[in-house]
Amino acid sequence: MNEQEFSLSCPIPITNYPNVMMAHGGGGKLMQQLIEKMFITAFGNSFLEQRTDSVLLNLDKNKIAFTTDSYVVKPLFFPGGDIGSLAVNGTVNDLSMSGAKPMYISLGMIIEEGLPMETLWQIVNSLKINCDLAGVNIVTGDTKVVDKGKGDGIFINTSGIGIIEHDFTIAPSSIHEGDLIFINGDIGRHGIAIMATRENLEFETVIESDCAPLNHVVQDLLSSGIEIHCMRDLTRGGLVSGLVELSNSSGYEFVVNEKDVPVREDVNGACELMGFDPMFVANEGRFISFIPEKYADAALQILNKHGEGKIIGRVEKKNNEGVTLISRIGTKRILDMISGEQLPRIC
């Protein structure tokens, strides 16, 4: 009997489906088989082996960070990444921006009926690979299946817990006048990679997303004793949104030099073609950090070990919030957040 001949009256369960069925989220045998054969196979660890509704964790630190985010990127796969790599790295990076060492992640999957099992397996593999790269474990999770046409393949929610092993208060309130503003690499690649794939645009070179975990570079900065006042990853809204948000929160004026902001030529060309400013385009592996000038050389050395470190600006006066860009020809331009969504469904 093949799959097409299956009916509710069939006494023999058919288990090898090429696509996700509603029953894979129904709490029955098919759901257990999906969990056992795919998820436990990929993510198996001592925490998942507890087989309890809530995992028991031992955290030997009093200070922990906890975050959650959902991922609805379209398309599911793009140059340099996929929804699985975004889900892991996004949560790892949110924890890292508070100076936490990411430890544990929860994984919630909302899968659309009919998603090919092979596609789901590719995403599961990506989740596993990126967890290994970041050094984190998936310790609990949930699976739901929604009707065909009610979702774009799969949506993922991840929550994360990290421990804080330092005494710094890494927050906008810690920013001081004279702090230097560092960035860890070129900007704009993630947003352009998504848009080019979505619109079937071809350029001379394939522009890949910068999607990557930031915990290793942040932990290296912290373990070297560098006094980090604040950090922010540059996702939706890009560099400008991150700067403006922190300026408004801290009350300080920031001055940024356009010539020091790294932008690849192919990204710049793509932005000109599509009418975007790379300063506003999303990233998934870039962050800014606010660090006292006396640590500049040491910070650059560590940032360059992991990427392309640059000092792009400086913190100026208190009670004068706003971000001023010094253009390549020396003119001044006040930067503000974009109104509305420049590139929807990018993460």
Side-chain angles (χ1 to χ4, degrees):
M1 181 178 292
N2 58 33
E3 179 187 336
Q4 284 68 33
E5 295 169 333
F6 175 73
S7 70
L8 291 175
S9 61
C10 178
I12 304 174
I14 297 174
T15 59
N16 296 321
Y17 289 90
N19 300 313
V20 174
M21 309 288 287
M22 289 299 294
H24 284 113
K29 185 174 290 185
L30 285 186
M31 183 173 176
Q32 287 305 310
Q33 289 174 345
L34 182 69
I35 293 171
E36 292 290 338
K37 292 184 177 180
M38 186 174 287
F39 302 152
I40 298 293
T41 297
F43 308 134
N45 55 54
S46 59
F47 303 103
L48 288 176
E49 288 301 324
Q50 293 178 18
R51 308 296 177 105
T52 51
D53 285 343
S54 58
V55 66
L56 301 180
L57 304 173
N58 290 315
L59 297 172
D60 59 356
K61 300 293 178 183
N62 290 327
K63 290 175 67 177
I64 66 169
F66 179 42
T67 187
T68 189
D69 209 341
S70 298
Y71 299 87
V72 297
V73 65
K74 184 179 180 180
L76 298 177
F77 299 88
F78 49 84
D82 54 71
I83 192 171
S85 61
L86 276 180
V88 172
N89 292 327
T91 293
V92 164
N93 293 347
D94 283 346
L95 291 170
S96 298
M97 291 303 99
S98 61
K101 181 180 179 182
M103 300 290 291
Y104 305 115
I105 286 182
S106 74
L107 175 67
M109 292 187 175
I110 300 174
I111 308 170
E112 182 181 356
E113 179 188 20
L115 180 74
M117 282 293 181
E118 181 59 32
T119 301
L120 182 58
W121 182 238
Q122 289 181 51
I123 294 169
V124 167
N125 271 313
S126 175
L127 287 160
K128 169 62 175 171
I129 290 169
N130 283 277
C131 279
D132 289 346
L133 287 173
V136 297
N137 280 312
I138 291 173
V139 296
T140 188
D142 180 53
T143 304
K144 295 287 189 300
V145 179
V146 296
D147 294 323
K148 191 174 182 62
K150 301 298 184 182
D152 279 338
I154 186 172
F155 299 142
I156 295 178
N157 173 271
T158 47
S159 297
I161 292 176
I163 57 174
I164 296 176
E165 299 177 308
H166 55 80
D167 295 324
F168 300 131
T169 300
I170 298 176
S173 59
S174 297
I175 293 174
H176 287 107
E177 184 175 334
D179 282 351
L180 298 180
I181 306 171
F182 294 77
I183 196 167
N184 68 322
D186 62 285
I187 61 171
R189 274 195 280 139
H190 177 69
I192 296 302
I194 294 287
M195 182 55 70
T197 305
R198 195 181 293 172
E199 301 299 326
N200 292 318
L201 300 176
E202 292 186 1
F203 304 108
E204 290 186 2
T205 57
V206 176
I207 298 174
E208 295 189 340
S209 168
D210 61 333
C211 184
L214 295 172
N215 55 323
H216 300 304
V217 60
V218 169
Q219 290 301 313
D220 277 359
L221 288 168
L222 290 168
S223 62
S224 69
I226 292 173
E227 184 182 332
I228 302 174
H229 286 168
C230 190
M231 292 183 284
R232 182 60 50 93
D233 55 343
L234 307 174
T235 54
R236 286 177 294 179
L239 173 61
V240 170
S241 290
L243 287 167
V244 172
E245 186 179 335
L246 291 178
S247 174
N248 292 339
S249 299
S250 67
Y252 280 99
E253 177 191 12
F254 302 160
V255 176
V256 175
N257 296 302
E258 185 178 24
K259 65 179 177 55
D260 296 324
V261 177
V263 183
R264 287 186 0 179
E265 286 189 14
D266 52 1
V267 171
N268 216 20
C271 284
E272 288 181 3
L273 184 66
M274 292 188 278
F276 295 144
D277 183 338
M279 302 277 285
F280 293 86
V281 176
N283 315 271
E284 286 294 339
R286 298 290 176 258
F287 73 109
I288 49 175
S289 50
F290 294 74
I291 296 173
E293 187 170 6
K294 64 181 179 180
Y295 297 107
D297 290 342
L300 281 175
Q301 187 175 358
I302 292 171
L303 291 171
N304 284 327
K305 174 184 165 187
H306 293 271
E308 181 188 9
K310 292 280 188 182
I311 298 172
I312 63 170
R314 188 182 186 90
V315 177
E316 299 291 347
K317 298 175 184 175
K318 179 72 172 174
N319 298 322
N320 192 34
E321 62 261 32
V323 181
T324 301
L325 181 74
I326 307 298
S327 73
R328 296 179 188 279
I329 59 173
T331 59
K332 292 184 178 180
R333 170 186 163 200
I334 303 301
L335 297 179
D336 199 359
M337 294 183 185
I338 57 173
S339 58
E341 188 78 71
Q342 188 179 42
L343 295 174
R345 303 280 303 270
I346 56 171
C347 60

